[in-house]
Amino acid sequence: MLIAKTAPRRLPRVVPAALGLAATLAASAASAEDYAFLAAPQTSLNRMFRVETTSGEVGVCQFAVSDRGAGVTLCYPPGEGAGPQEPGLYALAASNHQQEGGVYRVERRTGRMSLCYVLAEQVVCTPQAR
């Protein structure tokens, strides 16, 4: 009985390519925006605040009913003081006051905070203080 010798099979070189792809995805994920969300403490509002955790930019959205009776999401853009701040580690915090329509933007590393709320169809925030 003769056994034919064959050359060993080589596996495709996908491992280095896969590692490169994984590194690219990790780098893009690290640069992606990360948000934190918090509902307004006022029980009669259906507003949801969001903050970009690195830049501190604040936005707000809420549910509304259109003229046709359909539900829509209304979002208010950042206005005075609600745009990007110095880079940091931002979060949102609510008071326990049930009539409070705004939330606090807090910078977790420095302890600075400001109150953010909707005014004239935009989100505004007070100057940061500590």
Side-chain angles (χ1 to χ4, degrees):
M1 176 178 204
L2 287 174
I3 298 178
K5 289 189 174 184
T6 59
R9 288 181 80 186
R10 292 186 182 237
L11 295 175
R13 300 199 45 102
V14 294
V15 172
L19 290 175
L21 177 61
T24 301
L25 290 174
S28 66
S31 66
E33 295 173 336
D34 189 20
Y35 294 92
F37 299 88
L38 184 67
Q42 185 173 342
T43 55
S44 62
L45 284 179
N46 59 6
R47 289 188 176 149
M48 180 69 71
F49 286 79
R50 75 169 182 280
V51 66
E52 201 281 320
T53 58
T54 303
S55 74
E57 182 177 87
V58 177
V60 177
C61 293
Q62 73 180 45
F63 172 80
V65 178
S66 72
D67 295 339
R68 298 182 191 147
V72 295
T73 303
L74 295 177
C75 293
Y76 300 98
E80 186 176 341
Q85 306 295 300
E86 291 182 26
L89 181 58
Y90 292 90
L92 296 173
S95 70
N96 287 332
H97 194 280
Q98 291 181 349
Q99 297 303 312
E100 183 64 62
V103 298
Y104 291 92
R105 172 181 56 196
V106 296
E107 205 293 316
R108 297 177 64 125
R109 292 182 184 138
T110 65
R112 294 177 299 156
M113 62 179 73
S114 57
L115 182 66
C116 300
Y117 54 97
V118 174
L119 179 68
E121 304 296 320
Q122 62 184 355
V123 184
V124 296
C125 297
T126 61
Q128 291 189 29
R130 198 173 100 149

